[in-house]
Amino acid sequence: MTEPDARPRFPEVGGHPAFDLVDTVHWRLDESRAIETLTSFADVVAWCLQRGALGADPADLERLAREDPAAAAREHDAVVALREAVYEAVFEASASAVELIAREHVAALSRSTLVADAVSSTWSWRAPDDLSGPRTVVAFAAHDLLTSDLGAARQCGDDACGWVYLDTSPRHNRVWCTAAGCGNRNRVARHQARKKA
Ligand SMILES: [Zn+2]
């Protein structure tokens, strides 16, 4: 299930795993162009793997999903709902979205085990090895984002892109998700508009 390609399959411009998750929708602000890249439970597992956030063996999860496709589909739906809740909580101040994240976080804790780190002297929550593992990882990320300083939360300045990120630039003036992508495209478009005028 891992990609032999060295390039990351999912965008990593968010500055936080929960924002990177939101960015798995491309062209979010243009319904006619929007692309969903988390189309299945396998995609969710691949996303978690890219983040290095999955304790379980992906082959085991693949087998469990084959044995119970309905449960895997429910987990996929739940992760997508959590992703949308992150977006709506941060950018639309949605109370019901915050409630969902709170509920999922409590449920994630109840499914997890507090384990000692083998290397450092810390303890951390380990998600279960079953189909609910990815949703657990995502719920922890969503809660972590929501309870951190959101003063730097931004959305790309492009009309359609919709990617979100934490603006950690020194002057807090980052306008684009990527300078090479949306930044460049918008600069070129503006230049052409000026030339026409
Ligand atoms: Zn963008």
Side-chain angles (χ1 to χ4, degrees):
M1 228 182 271
T2 45
E3 301 281 308
D5 196 331
R7 277 178 315 162
R9 171 178 168 183
F10 300 103
E12 295 181 344
V13 304
H16 189 284
F19 273 173
D20 284 338
L21 182 72
V22 169
D23 295 343
T24 57
V25 176
H26 300 208
W27 310 115
R28 173 182 285 277
L29 301 181
D30 182 348
E31 241 172 75
S32 66
R33 282 159 82 196
I35 300 167
E36 169 65 84
T37 65
L38 294 184
T39 59
S40 65
F41 181 74
D43 287 342
V44 171
V45 173
W47 184 84
C48 290
L49 276 178
Q50 184 179 310
R51 308 289 332 177
L54 203 60
D57 183 338
D60 288 342
L61 288 178
E62 215 175 334
R63 180 179 49 77
L64 290 171
R66 260 200 319 274
E67 287 168 4
D68 193 346
R74 276 197 303 277
E75 291 298 327
H76 168 242
D77 288 346
V79 166
V80 169
L82 257 170
R83 179 192 66 192
E84 295 311 300
V86 169
Y87 181 78
E88 288 161 20
V90 176
F91 293 97
E92 296 172 358
S94 160
S96 61
V98 174
E99 270 167 40
L100 176 69
I101 293 168
R103 229 173 21 244
E104 287 282 8
H105 182 241
V106 171
L109 284 169
S110 72
R111 288 193 298 270
S112 300
T113 322
L114 197 56
V115 292
D117 191 281
V119 186
S120 68
S121 51
T122 58
W123 293 71
S124 54
W125 289 105
R126 189 171 68 199
D129 292 338
D130 60 22
L131 288 174
S132 71
R135 169 155 58 121
T136 305
V137 166
V138 165
F140 280 129
H143 174 265
D144 181 71
L145 176 77
L146 216 63
T147 53
S148 65
D149 182 1
L150 289 168
R154 302 273 188 280
Q155 186 159 35
C156 178
D158 185 82
D159 288 343
C161 170
W163 276 4
V164 299
Y165 52 88
L166 289 174
D167 179 6
T168 53
S169 64
R171 294 168 62 202
H172 305 291
N173 58 354
R174 178 175 161 194
V175 177
W176 313 110
C177 60
T178 59
C182 283
N184 192 46
R185 199 175 52 254
N186 280 276
R187 264 191 301 277
V188 169
R190 254 184 245 158
H191 178 71
Q192 280 166 349
R194 265 200 304 271
K195 254 192 359 199
K196 245 187 230 164

